[in-house]
Amino acid sequence: MARHRPETLDRKSLIMIAAGAVGGGVAIAIMELLSAQLTYPLASIPFATSIVLVMGSPEAKPAQPRALVGGHLLSALAGLMVVKAVGPGPFAAASAVCLAMAAMHLSRTFHPPAGINPLLIALGDLPWTFLLVPVAAGALLLLAFAYVWHNGTRRGSWPQETWSEAFMASPLPPPAAGAAIRRVPASGAADGTPTMSNDGRSK
């Protein structure tokens, strides 16, 4: 019986892995540098796991611009709304994460690393300005960095979606495979039988 031989990575795949890993390291270093320059607590910057996802797996749907930016904004907004309504604490944190997950799914911006936003907000009673800095500013900076890095190392391979798909209000899902519109001839039904009018007469 022949043994199944494990697949080996070719040279191109290894180069892409290395490029993504180096890019992730550079992005983390930039995040730490900005945190030090702005004297902003590094523990409150929710982008470490987003960097790992976007730089290490750029083909994944949650790593695309719509999910990256929209997911962070919506999850932070959910956290702020809950904490301002019921106050900080474990209940607020659980409720905010729940709301954030639903909002990301419904808006097609599901980005798992963004789930840390409502948790930080609800437990730390963070202000509305958290939505702008670091969330919005950080997401846009990571978006710009990923675009430059991936298109410099992968030759135009990121994002996988078009910019109109990324930022239009509600993109339509692709049609199901094999789906087709069945047209009925004017003279009758598709199988040749006559169609009936409201008064019961055949057309």
Side-chain angles (χ1 to χ4, degrees):
M1 182 182 236
R3 289 186 178 181
H4 175 70
R5 298 180 62 184
E7 294 183 4
T8 58
L9 295 173
D10 56 21
R11 183 171 179 271
K12 182 179 179 181
S13 297
L14 290 173
I15 291 174
M16 292 299 98
I17 291 173
V22 173
V26 172
I28 290 289
I30 293 173
M31 184 181 73
E32 292 180 341
L33 178 62
L34 290 175
S35 173
Q37 292 292 324
L38 299 173
T39 64
Y40 199 94
L42 187 61
S44 296
I45 301 178
F47 289 105
T49 49
S50 287
I51 289 171
V52 172
L53 174 60
V54 174
M55 301 309 300
S57 187
E59 300 87 2
K61 190 172 182 179
Q64 302 308 305
R66 180 183 178 88
L68 169 63
V69 178
H72 272 291
L73 290 177
L74 280 176
S75 63
L77 183 60
L80 288 164
M81 290 172 61
V82 170
V83 80
K84 300 310 176 188
V86 304
F91 173 76
S95 301
V97 171
C98 177
L99 179 61
M101 291 177 64
M104 287 191 290
H105 271 300
L106 291 173
S107 61
R108 298 187 185 129
T109 60
F110 194 71
H111 184 72
I116 193 66
N117 290 333
L119 188 64
L120 291 174
I121 292 168
L123 294 180
D125 195 14
L126 298 178
W128 284 101
T129 54
F130 186 81
L131 182 63
L132 299 178
V133 179
V135 173
L140 292 174
L141 284 173
L142 179 53
L143 171 65
F145 178 82
Y147 179 78
V148 172
W149 187 272
H150 285 315
N151 287 291
T153 59
R154 295 170 177 261
R155 298 183 180 179
S157 66
W158 195 85
Q160 300 292 308
E161 60 192 4
T162 66
W163 291 106
S164 60
E165 289 172 339
F167 293 109
M168 66 187 293
S170 180
L172 296 175
I181 298 175
R182 188 181 183 187
R183 298 184 179 276
V184 178
S187 59
D191 58 0
T193 59
T195 58
M196 305 298 290
S197 62
N198 291 335
D199 58 4
R201 293 181 297 175
S202 62
K203 293 182 180 180

